[in-house]
Coordinates of all heavy atoms in Angstrom, one line a residue:
Chain A
A461 N -19.5 -28.9 33.3 CA -18.3 -28.3 32.9 C -17.2 -28.4 34.0 O -16.1 -28.7 33.8 CB -18.4 -26.9 32.4
G462 N -17.7 -28.1 35.2 CA -16.8 -28.1 36.4 C -16.3 -29.5 36.7 O -15.1 -29.7 36.9
L463 N -17.2 -30.4 36.6 CA -16.9 -31.8 36.9 C -15.9 -32.4 35.9 O -14.9 -33.1 36.2 CB -18.1 -32.7 36.9 CG -19.1 -32.5 38.0 CD1 -20.4 -33.3 37.8 CD2 -18.4 -33.0 39.4
A464 N -16.0 -31.9 34.6 CA -15.1 -32.4 33.6 C -13.7 -31.9 33.8 O -12.7 -32.5 33.3 CB -15.6 -32.0 32.2
G465 N -13.6 -30.8 34.6 CA -12.3 -30.2 34.8 C -11.5 -30.8 36.0 O -10.4 -30.4 36.3
I466 N -12.2 -31.7 36.7 CA -11.5 -32.3 37.9 C -10.5 -33.3 37.4 O -10.8 -34.2 36.7 CB -12.5 -32.9 38.9 CG1 -13.5 -31.9 39.4 CG2 -11.8 -33.6 40.0 CD1 -14.6 -32.4 40.3
P467 N -9.2 -33.2 37.8 CA -8.2 -34.1 37.3 C -8.5 -35.6 37.8 O -8.8 -35.8 39.0 CB -6.9 -33.6 38.0 CG -7.2 -32.3 38.5 CD -8.6 -32.2 38.7
G468 N -8.4 -36.5 36.9 CA -8.8 -37.9 37.3 C -7.8 -38.5 38.3 O -8.2 -39.4 39.0
E469 N -6.6 -38.0 38.3 CA -5.6 -38.6 39.3 C -6.1 -38.4 40.7 O -5.8 -39.3 41.5 CB -4.3 -37.8 39.2 CG -3.5 -38.0 37.9 CD -4.0 -37.0 36.8 OE1 -4.6 -36.0 37.2 OE2 -3.8 -37.3 35.6
L470 N -6.8 -37.4 41.0 CA -7.3 -37.2 42.4 C -8.2 -38.3 42.8 O -8.2 -38.8 43.9 CB -8.1 -35.8 42.5 CG -7.2 -34.6 42.3 CD1 -8.1 -33.3 42.4 CD2 -6.1 -34.5 43.3
Y471 N -9.1 -38.7 41.8 CA -10.0 -39.8 42.2 C -9.2 -41.1 42.3 O -9.5 -42.0 43.2 CB -11.1 -40.0 41.0 CG -12.1 -38.9 41.0 CD1 -12.3 -38.1 39.9 CD2 -12.9 -38.7 42.1 CE1 -13.2 -37.1 39.9 CE2 -13.9 -37.7 42.1 CZ -14.0 -36.9 41.0 OH -15.0 -35.9 41.0
E472 N -8.3 -41.3 41.4 CA -7.5 -42.5 41.4 C -6.7 -42.6 42.7 O -6.7 -43.7 43.4 CB -6.4 -42.4 40.3 CG -6.1 -43.8 39.7 CD -5.7 -43.6 38.3 OE1 -6.7 -43.6 37.5 OE2 -4.6 -43.6 38.0
A473 N -6.1 -41.5 43.2 CA -5.4 -41.5 44.4 C -6.3 -41.8 45.6 O -6.0 -42.6 46.5 CB -4.7 -40.2 44.6
A474 N -7.5 -41.2 45.6 CA -8.5 -41.4 46.7 C -8.9 -42.9 46.7 O -9.0 -43.5 47.8 CB -9.7 -40.5 46.5
E475 N -9.0 -43.5 45.5 CA -9.5 -44.8 45.4 C -8.4 -45.8 46.0 O -8.7 -46.7 46.7 CB -9.8 -45.2 43.9 CG -10.7 -46.3 43.8 CD -11.0 -46.6 42.3 OE1 -10.6 -45.9 41.5 OE2 -11.6 -47.7 42.1
L476 N -7.1 -45.5 45.6 CA -6.0 -46.3 46.1 C -6.0 -46.2 47.6 O -5.6 -47.2 48.3 CB -4.7 -45.8 45.5 CG -4.6 -46.2 44.0 CD1 -3.3 -45.6 43.5 CD2 -4.6 -47.7 43.8
D477 N -6.3 -45.0 48.2 CA -6.3 -44.9 49.6 C -7.5 -45.6 50.3 O -7.8 -45.5 51.5 CB -6.3 -43.4 50.0 CG -5.0 -42.8 49.8 OD1 -4.0 -43.5 49.6 OD2 -4.9 -41.5 49.7
G478 N -8.4 -46.2 49.4 CA -9.5 -46.9 50.0 C -10.8 -46.1 50.2 O -11.7 -46.5 50.9
A479 N -10.9 -44.9 49.6 CA -12.0 -44.0 49.8 C -13.2 -44.6 49.0 O -13.1 -45.0 47.8 CB -11.7 -42.6 49.3
S480 N -14.4 -44.7 49.7 CA -15.6 -45.1 49.0 C -16.1 -44.0 48.1 O -15.6 -42.9 48.1 CB -16.7 -45.4 50.1 OG -17.1 -44.2 50.7
V481 N -17.1 -44.4 47.3 CA -17.7 -43.4 46.4 C -18.1 -42.1 47.1 O -17.8 -41.0 46.7 CB -18.8 -44.0 45.6 CG1 -19.5 -42.9 44.7 CG2 -18.3 -45.1 44.7
W482 N -18.8 -42.3 48.3 CA -19.3 -41.1 49.0 C -18.1 -40.3 49.5 O -18.1 -39.1 49.5 CB -20.1 -41.6 50.2 CG -21.4 -42.2 49.8 CD1 -21.8 -43.5 50.1 CD2 -22.4 -41.7 49.0 NE1 -23.0 -43.8 49.5 CE2 -23.4 -42.7 48.8 CE3 -22.6 -40.4 48.3 CZ2 -24.5 -42.5 48.0 CZ3 -23.7 -40.2 47.6 CH2 -24.7 -41.2 47.4
Q483 N -17.1 -41.0 50.0 CA -15.9 -40.3 50.5 C -15.2 -39.5 49.4 O -14.7 -38.4 49.6 CB -14.9 -41.2 51.2 CG -15.4 -41.7 52.5 CD -14.6 -42.8 53.1 OE1 -14.1 -43.7 52.4 NE2 -14.4 -42.8 54.4
R484 N -15.2 -40.1 48.2 CA -14.6 -39.4 47.0 C -15.4 -38.2 46.7 O -14.8 -37.1 46.4 CB -14.6 -40.4 45.8 CG -13.4 -41.3 45.8 CD -13.5 -42.3 44.6 NE -13.7 -43.6 45.1 CZ -14.1 -44.6 44.3 NH1 -14.4 -44.4 43.0 NH2 -14.3 -45.8 44.8
I485 N -16.8 -38.3 46.8 CA -17.6 -37.1 46.5 C -17.2 -36.0 47.5 O -17.0 -34.8 47.2 CB -19.1 -37.4 46.5 CG1 -19.4 -38.3 45.4 CG2 -19.9 -36.2 46.5 CD1 -20.8 -38.8 45.4
R486 N -17.2 -36.4 48.8 CA -17.0 -35.5 49.9 C -15.6 -34.8 49.9 O -15.4 -33.6 50.1 CB -17.2 -36.1 51.3 CG -18.5 -35.7 51.9 CD -18.4 -35.9 53.4 NE -17.5 -34.9 54.1 CZ -17.0 -35.0 55.3 NH1 -17.2 -36.1 56.0 NH2 -16.3 -34.1 55.8
H487 N -14.6 -35.7 49.6 CA -13.2 -35.2 49.8 C -12.6 -34.8 48.5 O -11.5 -34.1 48.5 CB -12.4 -36.2 50.5 CG -12.9 -36.4 51.9 ND1 -12.8 -35.5 52.9 CD2 -13.5 -37.5 52.4 CE1 -13.4 -36.0 54.0 NE2 -13.8 -37.2 53.8
V488 N -13.1 -35.2 47.3 CA -12.5 -34.8 46.0 C -13.5 -33.8 45.3 O -13.2 -32.7 45.0 CB -12.1 -36.0 45.2 CG1 -11.6 -35.5 43.9 CG2 -11.1 -36.8 45.9
T489 N -14.7 -34.4 45.0 CA -15.6 -33.6 44.1 C -16.0 -32.3 44.7 O -15.8 -31.2 44.0 CB -16.9 -34.5 43.8 OG1 -16.5 -35.8 43.5 CG2 -17.6 -33.9 42.6
I490 N -16.5 -32.3 45.9 CA -17.1 -31.1 46.4 C -16.0 -30.0 46.7 O -16.2 -28.9 46.3 CB -17.9 -31.4 47.7 CG1 -19.2 -32.1 47.3 CG2 -18.3 -30.1 48.4 CD1 -20.1 -32.5 48.4
P491 N -14.8 -30.4 47.2 CA -13.8 -29.3 47.3 C -13.4 -28.8 46.0 O -13.1 -27.6 45.8 CB -12.6 -30.1 48.0 CG -13.2 -31.2 48.7 CD -14.4 -31.6 47.9
Q492 N -13.3 -29.6 45.0 CA -12.9 -29.2 43.6 C -13.9 -28.3 43.0 O -13.6 -27.4 42.2 CB -12.6 -30.4 42.7 CG -11.3 -31.1 43.0 CD -10.1 -30.4 42.6 OE1 -10.1 -29.9 41.5 NE2 -9.1 -30.3 43.4
M493 N -15.2 -28.5 43.4 CA -16.3 -27.8 42.8 C -16.7 -26.5 43.6 O -17.6 -25.8 43.2 CB -17.6 -28.7 42.7 CG -17.4 -29.8 41.7 SD -17.5 -29.3 40.0 CE -19.2 -29.1 39.9
R494 N -16.0 -26.3 44.7 CA -16.4 -25.3 45.6 C -16.6 -23.9 44.9 O -17.6 -23.2 45.1 CB -15.4 -25.1 46.8 CG -16.0 -24.5 48.0 CD -15.0 -24.3 49.1 NE -14.7 -25.6 49.7 CZ -13.4 -25.9 50.1 NH1 -12.5 -25.0 50.0 NH2 -13.1 -27.0 50.6
F495 N -15.7 -23.6 44.1 CA -15.8 -22.2 43.4 C -17.0 -22.1 42.5 O -17.8 -21.2 42.7 CB -14.5 -22.0 42.6 CG -14.5 -20.7 41.8 CD1 -14.4 -19.5 42.5 CD2 -14.7 -20.7 40.5 CE1 -14.4 -18.3 41.8 CE2 -14.8 -19.5 39.8 CZ -14.6 -18.3 40.4
I496 N -17.2 -23.1 41.7 CA -18.4 -23.0 40.8 C -19.7 -23.0 41.6 O -20.6 -22.3 41.3 CB -18.4 -24.2 39.8 CG1 -17.3 -24.0 38.8 CG2 -19.7 -24.4 39.1 CD1 -17.2 -25.0 37.7
M497 N -19.7 -23.8 42.7 CA -20.9 -23.9 43.5 C -21.2 -22.5 44.1 O -22.3 -22.1 44.1 CB -20.8 -25.0 44.5 CG -20.8 -26.4 43.9 SD -20.4 -27.7 45.1 CE -22.0 -27.9 45.9
L498 N -20.2 -21.9 44.6 CA -20.4 -20.6 45.2 C -20.8 -19.6 44.2 O -21.8 -18.8 44.4 CB -19.0 -20.1 45.8 CG -19.1 -18.9 46.7 CD1 -20.1 -19.1 47.8 CD2 -17.7 -18.6 47.3
V499 N -20.2 -19.6 43.0 CA -20.6 -18.6 41.9 C -22.1 -18.8 41.6 O -22.9 -17.9 41.5 CB -19.7 -18.8 40.7 CG1 -20.3 -18.2 39.5 CG2 -18.3 -18.2 41.0

Side-chain angles (χ1 to χ4, degrees):
Chain A
L463 289 171
I466 299 179
E469 295 84 22
L470 294 179
Y471 288 120
E472 209 149 282
E475 204 180 352
L476 288 174
D477 287 344
S480 67
V481 172
W482 294 121
Q483 285 170 325
R484 275 176 250 165
I485 293 175
R486 250 204 75 196
H487 297 292
V488 178
T489 314
I490 292 180
Q492 288 284 316
M493 293 287 281
R494 201 182 291 142
F495 177 72
I496 289 187
M497 290 171 83
L498 189 56
V499 162

